[in-house]
Amino acid sequence: MSQLALTEDELAMLRFTCDLFFVEESPLFFLEAEKRAPYNYEATYNQLKSKDVVDPSTFQVTDAALNRIAPVTECDARVIHSHLTKMSKDATDYYLLDEIIVKYKDQQTNHLMGADMDIEQFIQFLGRRLTPRSSGGDLLLVDLSPIEVVALATLLNPLRDNPDASVEQNIHKLPPLTQDNPSLLPTSGPKNTLNALGVRTLPRQKPSQKIEDSQTNKKSWKKVFESLLAKSVLKRWNNEIKVSLAFKEFFFSLDNNEYHSFVRYDFGDDEWFIRESTLIPANGSLYWIGMDKKGLVTIKELDGAHLKKTLLETVGPLNKN
């Protein structure tokens, strides 16, 4: 039984006769709230028998069927995998009960429930839909401050016309700094995660005074340049400053307008616990983007081992310690 398709009448029959339990977080809770009963008991019961959902000798749900139904009706967690491309956006739902996972889809007349998986199988299932870097060499790993992201968003734009361009000549295009650092936060998806790089600016609580002294402004941006050089995002070649090859590959991957987002909700008694990861695929590689508690934007290139670790941290069991 790789996939189980049940009508609302069949689910209502199981609720009525087999004490099937529904929690409020379940997508099928409406059957419990409405106290739904099947329109035709005999016909519905025969349908359930033909699908091996009910054992005719015990009148109970079979173990194979219950393993697919219970994680959806009695769920204690949910995972949503969103995949955005230039042409489409798809979202797939998975429901969990005691770390047993079932893929679920509502098809109006039928509710589809996939094969039950444990966490290891689930991580492998998701990983097969992604392509981490397989070649050797150092992986890109960099933490960027909000002001460094602002700088890169301006400096990297000319690379679209000339990928080998020097970025130092674009320093005059950088916006005037303010006396307080701008408040910048990334959101899911390549367009929102790093602006040109996808960053959005949050409105300030009160206006900030610009630093009018152009020399002071230039010196401040020079410090940002030096920081990006120290982090190997920018490098010196023949008395020119250019973007490192590793970061350039990441930058151009944003033009693909494709990303994978994984969100896990754990349903607590008083609150929900939410974890999220955004992965951006590129030619032969895969990048993770996130933000740490200090407000630094982290860009991390993933190989197979790092991909497994990232997925486990996002969709695996919640560490409540």
Side-chain angles (χ1 to χ4, degrees):
M1 188 187 295
S2 60
Q3 182 170 268
L4 179 61
L6 295 176
T7 66
E8 290 181 7
D9 263 11
E10 290 167 344
L11 287 163
M13 183 77 173
L14 295 175
R15 184 195 74 82
F16 186 76
T17 61
C18 299
D19 295 326
L20 196 64
F21 185 66
F22 296 77
V23 297
E24 291 185 4
E25 293 82 4
S26 169
L28 301 172
F29 180 70
F30 68 93
L31 294 169
E32 177 67 29
E34 297 172 5
K35 305 301 180 185
R36 186 77 64 88
Y39 290 105
N40 187 319
Y41 282 83
E42 182 177 1
T44 303
Y45 177 73
N46 288 331
Q47 290 170 2
L48 290 170
K49 282 199 305 181
S50 68
K51 295 178 180 180
D52 294 325
V53 173
V54 173
D55 184 340
S57 62
T58 63
F59 300 101
Q60 296 295 314
V61 182
T62 61
D63 289 341
L66 189 60
N67 288 343
R68 289 156 174 77
I69 300 171
V72 179
T73 64
E74 299 180 43
C75 55
D76 54 26
R78 177 187 182 187
V79 171
I80 302 174
H81 172 202
S82 299
H83 180 207
L84 175 73
T85 67
K86 290 181 179 179
M87 304 299 296
S88 65
K89 181 177 181 180
D90 298 314
T92 306
D93 276 312
Y94 302 88
Y95 285 88
L96 295 79
L97 176 63
D98 296 331
E99 303 307 326
I100 298 300
I101 302 103
V102 167
K103 180 179 177 181
Y104 168 78
K105 186 174 184 180
D106 181 356
Q107 282 196 330
Q108 295 183 343
T109 58
N110 279 304
H111 297 269
L112 305 182
M113 300 159 199
D116 53 306
M117 299 175 279
D118 61 24
I119 288 295
E120 184 67 25
Q121 292 169 326
F122 187 44
I123 297 297
Q124 292 178 3
F125 176 80
L126 296 177
R128 286 195 292 269
R129 283 145 183 79
L130 301 163
T131 306
R133 198 176 96 172
S134 57
S135 59
D138 294 335
L139 299 171
L140 176 66
L141 175 60
V142 62
D143 294 317
L144 300 173
S145 68
I147 200 65
E148 289 171 343
V149 174
V150 172
L152 287 170
T154 301
L155 295 173
L156 297 186
N157 269 331
L159 269 64
R160 301 185 189 280
D161 297 324
N162 179 10
D164 199 39
S166 169
V167 299
E168 194 170 14
Q169 62 189 359
N170 300 313
I171 192 170
H172 68 280
K173 297 180 181 179
L174 292 168
L177 289 173
T178 56
Q179 288 182 341
D180 59 329
N181 283 337
S183 232
L184 298 166
L185 287 174
T187 57
S188 297
K191 283 297 184 183
N192 293 326
T193 304
L194 296 178
N195 181 332
L197 281 173
V199 168
R200 64 183 178 89
T201 303
L202 297 181
R204 292 187 176 85
Q205 297 298 320
K206 56 183 179 179
S208 299
Q209 182 181 352
K210 291 182 179 179
I211 297 175
E212 300 297 343
D213 186 343
S214 61
Q215 289 301 317
T216 303
N217 191 60
K218 189 173 182 179
K219 287 180 181 178
S220 299
W221 279 120
K222 186 178 179 181
K223 290 182 180 179
V224 176
F225 251 72
E226 291 171 351
S227 177
L228 292 172
L229 283 166
K231 294 177 180 181
S232 297
V233 174
L234 303 181
K235 292 198 172 185
R236 296 186 186 276
W237 275 289
N238 299 323
N239 296 321
E240 291 185 320
I241 296 179
K242 296 184 178 182
V243 180
S244 68
L245 294 177
F247 198 86
K248 189 187 297 184
E249 289 179 6
F250 162 73
F251 173 69
F252 283 112
S253 73
L254 299 175
D255 288 340
N256 295 333
N257 291 329
E258 180 180 5
Y259 76 91
H260 293 265
S261 172
F262 298 92
V263 184
R264 171 162 169 160
Y265 302 87
D266 283 271
F267 308 133
D269 293 334
D270 300 316
E271 59 183 341
W272 289 9
F273 302 91
I274 303 173
R275 287 170 285 161
E276 180 177 7
S277 279
T278 297
L279 304 182
I280 299 177
N283 293 331
S285 198
L286 187 68
Y287 300 94
W288 176 87
I289 298 180
M291 177 173 277
D292 66 14
K293 295 179 180 179
K294 296 180 180 179
L296 295 177
V297 176
T298 299
I299 302 167
K300 179 165 58 176
E301 190 175 10
L302 305 178
D303 58 13
H306 285 92
L307 172 59
K308 182 177 180 179
K309 182 175 183 292
T310 298
L311 289 175
L312 186 59
E313 289 174 348
T314 306
V315 304
L318 177 66
N319 183 359
K320 297 182 180 180
N321 294 333

